[in-house]
Amino acid sequence: MKTFIPKNDEQNWVVVDATNVPLGRLATLIASRIRGKHRPDFTPNIIQGDFVVVLNAEKVALTGNKLDGKVYTRYTGYQGGLKTETARQALAKHPERVIEHAVFGMLPKGRQGRAMHSRLKVYAGATHPHAAQKPQTLEVK
């Protein structure tokens, strides 16, 4: 008995403009595209999603009190090494990481999720070096 193996040869590139788009809506859209859930032949154990290029990461919208209330923490490994920064500080310093952090939290944990991380390309400005891949624009509603 033969088993059906879906074709995994399509690797589309998609460009998303993050200007004035709420962070959560943007992250859910990107995570489902990277995962491949928009495809009719979606298979959970196969990476068959698109490559996503995000532009204008510095202009992403955070609603409510999230600019000052949302806190990103990381631990250096040393005693007293807990580093915290608010979303306002993170957007000023490195706006790409804010979107990456939101999207990576929505991807599967484990070996497959770590492999999906390389499919996200985030840029703070409006230019990107992936023009050779001929990416299609994706509108966020």
Side-chain angles (χ1 to χ4, degrees):
M1 183 169 157
K2 288 188 174 183
T3 59
F4 174 71
I5 299 173
K7 292 176 92 176
N8 195 14
D9 55 358
E10 275 189 44
Q11 293 182 345
N12 299 326
W13 284 72
V14 177
V15 173
V16 178
D17 188 12
T19 306
N20 295 329
V21 178
L23 180 62
R25 288 183 187 268
L26 181 71
T28 53
L29 176 79
I30 293 169
S32 68
R33 287 303 281 220
I34 290 174
R35 189 116 194 259
K37 293 190 111 180
H38 63 285
R39 296 170 54 114
D41 61 343
F42 169 69
T43 310
N45 61 335
I46 296 176
I47 301 174
Q48 56 189 4
D50 297 341
F51 287 84
V52 179
V53 179
V54 181
L55 302 178
N56 297 319
E58 60 198 4
K59 297 177 185 173
V60 71
L62 283 133
T63 58
N65 191 30
K66 291 190 193 88
L67 275 175
D68 298 315
K70 187 170 185 61
V71 179
Y72 296 102
T73 59
R74 58 191 173 87
Y75 182 58
T76 63
Y78 291 96
Q79 291 180 352
L82 187 66
K83 306 286 184 185
T84 61
E85 77 180 342
T86 63
R88 186 182 303 272
Q89 294 167 336
L91 275 173
K93 248 197 255 183
H94 33 74
E96 303 92 7
R97 290 191 204 163
V98 174
I99 294 178
E100 287 173 2
H101 187 270
V103 172
F104 293 165
M106 296 179 184
L107 291 177
K109 310 319 182 249
R111 190 183 317 170
Q112 190 177 24
R114 286 190 298 275
M116 289 179 190
H117 285 193
S118 63
R119 292 177 172 259
L120 176 65
K121 319 287 183 192
V122 184
Y123 299 100
T127 60
H128 64 89
H130 305 288
Q133 281 74 25
K134 298 179 183 151
Q136 304 163 350
T137 58
L138 181 66
E139 293 296 322
V140 182
K141 296 175 184 168

